[in-house]
Structures are given as structure tokens and as C-alpha cells.
Amino acid sequence: MTDSQDAAPLFQPVTIGRYTLPNRIAMAPLTRSRTDNATGVPTAMNAEYYAQRATAGLIVAEATQISPQGKGYAYTPGIHSAEQVAGWKLVTDAVHAKGGHICLQLWHVGRISHPDLQPGGALPVAPSAVKPEMKAFTVDGFKDIPTPRALDVSELPGIVEDYRRATRNALAAGFDMVEVHAANGYLIDQFLRDGTNKRTDSYGGSVENRARFLFEVLDAVVAEAGADRVGIRLSPLSPANDAQESDPVGTFSPVIRRLNGYGLAYLHMIEGVTRGPHPGFGGDLAELRGLYTGRYMANNVYDRAMAIQATANGHADMIAFGRPFIANPDLVERLRIDAPLAEPDQKTFYGGDRHGYTDYPALAQPAG
């Protein structure tokens, strides 16, 4: 295998869904909390940020709430109002003007929220009233998350409809695709896991029942966008956001097998524990990866050598990079020529202005 600049598959085109992308490097969704907290409307600053990174084969834009109830972090964007759609149109137009492709990640946080972030100060909702040992990011700083309210079965069709409407809005805003966020301990993942789903109705108990909500959401999103414009994100081996599961392989294997029947654009997998060391390519990861027959996007602490190897040996069709994209808007070129990567300022990850957001220089570009 060669890792010469342009010969490696990582830097070659790939077809994902209905699009042929120029390389196999995806920008992973990164919450940066850079919108107005009250409106969740993206601005020209957000458009500049994404346009700077448009050389990624695919940008998966930050997790975006499908409804006011879906919000779990201060200053995050939505896709449920006309103003938000117009704001996102600034972003997609800017990315497309640079020749890029951009996907919107659809988000309902479920229990990972706080009354300060909920309409009317309500409790966050969840499959079951199981308190996460986590803190929520509010305008007043981090606060303990309370015990959520268990959703009534009669509420679930309305949330599925929120996903459908959000998909329609994303397409109206100019996104090329949408990604269903079913990972990292948010609402769909909460339904999947036996540590967070204690229901005794048709949405709890068996794996088939716990997966029912995921597939109802996916059916609605696919009906709106077409399967070739829909991806899904899973994190079967990660207990992120205190989402516990006693048998990850037993739970997620039938889910992944069933996804094969949809003809989705891709499956986006968090490999191992979110932000945690990569587990290696054997064991449970190899078993789960081997079940999926469509396009596969790998994510979790990949570096250049790992990414080249994983795309060359057929493990992955795309590699998603997260934090490296923060300080390296030209990450694709830096990886291609094996240039040093700039380090991001972690104090500017969440909230603030353009500092630590749009002011990172590209190679051979003076700072400022």
C-alpha cells in the first residue's frame, strides 16, 4: 500500500448516495454553540466557517434540533422555523459556491437537557424516567440534569413528524443530505439501550421494540428525502452521555442488519467510546462492521495513517474527522501533503464569537 499524496484511496473520489464526492474525508458534526440562544438561527459567521472547510468530501454540519423540545445545549441551531431555514440557506449557498457538499444532522437530545433549555421550563423527555449523571450546558453555565419525564406513547408520532418536517426544512435550506443522529446517548439511542429504556409497552423490552422508534423516524425521513440522501449515525460501543447497554452486539447487530434494506447513503459509526481511544479493528467492532453492506463512514480519533489504511483495506468508504477540522480549515490539503496540523484552542470550542471559529489560517496564509 502506498501513502503517496494522491494515490491513496482517502484522497480519491467516492460515490455516496446520489453524489460523487471528491475525496473520502468527511467533516464530522461539531457542536460549536455559535448561534443566538433564543432563535437558533445561523448567520453569515456560520456560513463563513463552513465555507472555509468546503474542501471536505462531505461536511456533516453540527447537530441541529428538530424542535424546541429537542434542544439540549445553549446557543445551538434549529431547523424548525422559517428563520432557521433562511439562516441555514446562507450556509449551504456558501458551501456550494466553494464546490462543497453539506449534510445536516437531525437531533433530539431527549433527556440530555435542562428545564432552562426547554419550552416553558418543562422537564426534558426520555423513553423512561432514568436520570443521567451528566450536566447540561446552559446560558448560566453547566447545571445538573434532572430526572426526565417519560414520554407517553401518544407523543411519539408527533416527534416522528418533527423529524419529517425537519428533513423537509433541511432540503428547503439547500442541504444535499440529512443524517439521523441515533448515537451518543441522545433520544433515539436512549430508546435503543436497555440502561435508558425501561418501558413495558411496544417501545420497550425486546430489541425489536426498543428499535421501533428509530425505524419509525428513519421511515419518515427516507419518505421525505429519498434513501440516497439519508445517512444515520450509531455509536454501539460507546456509553456517551451515560447511555448504558448490557449487550451492545446483541442489541445493535439486528439494527445494522435491518439498515441494509434501506439503501441509505451511508452508515456513520462512532468506533469505540466517543473521543476515546480507538478500539482497534477486531473484536466487537469487526463483528458489527461486517454486518453492514452499504457505504460506511468511520469516526473516532483517526489520524492520517489510520485513515489511509482504513480506506485502502476496505474497512471504510469515508473517514470523519472532528476536532482536527476546528484549527485546520484546509485539513484535506494538510492530510494530502502530510503537513503539520494546528492545535485548536479548547477554550473557544463552545460559545463566543469568530475567535477560535473563523480565524484559523490555512497553510501559507498569514494569521488574522
Side-chain angles (χ1 to χ4, degrees), residues 109-237:
V109 301
R111 68 181 189 155
I112 305 301
S113 187
H114 189 276
D116 287 3
L117 301 164
Q118 289 291 306
L123 283 173
V125 298
S128 303
V130 179
K131 182 185 186 302
E133 296 305 317
M134 300 291 298
K135 292 182 181 292
F137 176 52
T138 76
V139 293
D140 299 315
F142 286 92
K143 295 186 177 183
D144 288 334
I145 293 176
T147 300
R149 175 179 68 82
L151 285 159
D152 187 81
V153 69
S154 66
E155 297 176 88
L156 299 181
I159 297 176
V160 171
E161 187 59 31
D162 289 338
Y163 276 98
R164 185 193 305 274
R165 187 180 306 109
T167 303
R168 187 181 309 138
N169 287 345
L171 299 178
F175 283 97
D176 300 299
M177 308 182 200
V178 296
E179 178 179 293
V180 175
H181 196 348
N184 286 352
Y186 298 118
L187 183 64
I188 296 174
D189 203 24
Q190 292 161 25
F191 270 94
L192 285 170
R193 294 171 180 268
D194 60 12
T196 47
N197 184 342
K198 307 297 185 181
R199 301 177 74 96
T200 57
D201 59 14
S202 60
Y203 290 87
S206 68
V207 173
E208 181 182 8
N209 281 358
R210 284 183 276 136
R212 188 181 307 277
F213 181 66
L214 181 156
F215 287 107
E216 288 177 348
V217 168
L218 192 59
D219 286 343
V221 172
V222 165
E224 199 66 41
D228 60 354
R229 287 198 288 179
V230 177
I232 189 168
R233 190 188 216 195
L234 298 176
S235 56
L237 304 178

Side-chain angles (χ1 to χ4, degrees), residues 13-290:
V14 63
T15 300
I16 300 291
R18 66 177 62 177
Y19 302 102
T20 298
L21 308 179
N23 58 70
R24 299 171 186 231
I25 297 165
M27 178 179 171
L30 295 162
T31 294
R32 303 299 308 278
S33 294
R34 290 301 204 288
T35 57
D36 177 78
N37 188 59
T39 67
V41 174
T43 66
M45 182 177 73
N46 305 120
E48 180 184 3
Y49 168 76
Y50 283 110
Q52 288 172 342
R53 292 153 178 81
T55 52
L58 179 66
I59 293 172
V60 185
E62 64 208 89
T64 298
Q65 49 256 13
I66 60 167
S67 68
Q69 184 194 70
K71 183 176 181 177
Y73 298 75
Y75 311 110
T76 49
I79 190 65
H80 50 83
S81 76
E83 293 78 16
Q84 292 163 353
V85 171
W88 276 120
K89 188 71 163 58
L90 296 175
V91 174
T92 61
D93 284 350
V95 170
H96 292 149
K98 292 287 189 71
H101 291 83
I102 186 165
C103 171
L104 187 66
Q105 191 184 62
L106 305 178
W107 196 26
H108 191 307
V109 301
R111 68 181 189 155
I112 305 301
S113 187
H114 189 276
D116 287 3
L117 301 164
Q118 289 291 306
L123 283 173
V125 298
S128 303
V130 179
K131 182 185 186 302
E133 296 305 317
M134 300 291 298
K135 292 182 181 292
F137 176 52
T138 76
V139 293
D140 299 315
F142 286 92
K143 295 186 177 183
D144 288 334
I145 293 176
T147 300
R149 175 179 68 82
L151 285 159
D152 187 81
V153 69
S154 66
E155 297 176 88
L156 299 181
I159 297 176
V160 171
E161 187 59 31
D162 289 338
Y163 276 98
R164 185 193 305 274
R165 187 180 306 109
T167 303
R168 187 181 309 138
N169 287 345
L171 299 178
F175 283 97
D176 300 299
M177 308 182 200
V178 296
E179 178 179 293
V180 175
H181 196 348
N184 286 352
Y186 298 118
L187 183 64
I188 296 174
D189 203 24
Q190 292 161 25
F191 270 94
L192 285 170
R193 294 171 180 268
D194 60 12
T196 47
N197 184 342
K198 307 297 185 181
R199 301 177 74 96
T200 57
D201 59 14
S202 60
Y203 290 87
S206 68
V207 173
E208 181 182 8
N209 281 358
R210 284 183 276 136
R212 188 181 307 277
F213 181 66
L214 181 156
F215 287 107
E216 288 177 348
V217 168
L218 192 59
D219 286 343
V221 172
V222 165
E224 199 66 41
D228 60 354
R229 287 198 288 179
V230 177
I232 189 168
R233 190 188 216 195
L234 298 176
S235 56
L237 304 178
S238 179
N241 285 313
D242 197 23
Q244 305 299 324
E245 167 55 51
S246 64
D247 182 11
V249 172
T251 291
F252 284 89
S253 292
V255 171
I256 293 171
R257 288 193 196 96
R258 187 169 168 186
L259 289 174
N260 285 325
Y262 278 81
L264 298 175
Y266 63 86
L267 167 62
H268 181 180
M269 188 92 91
I270 305 293
E271 298 184 340
V273 177
T274 305
R275 289 195 294 274
H278 193 277
F281 296 107
D284 289 348
L285 175 60
E287 183 173 349
L288 292 167
R289 167 65 187 102

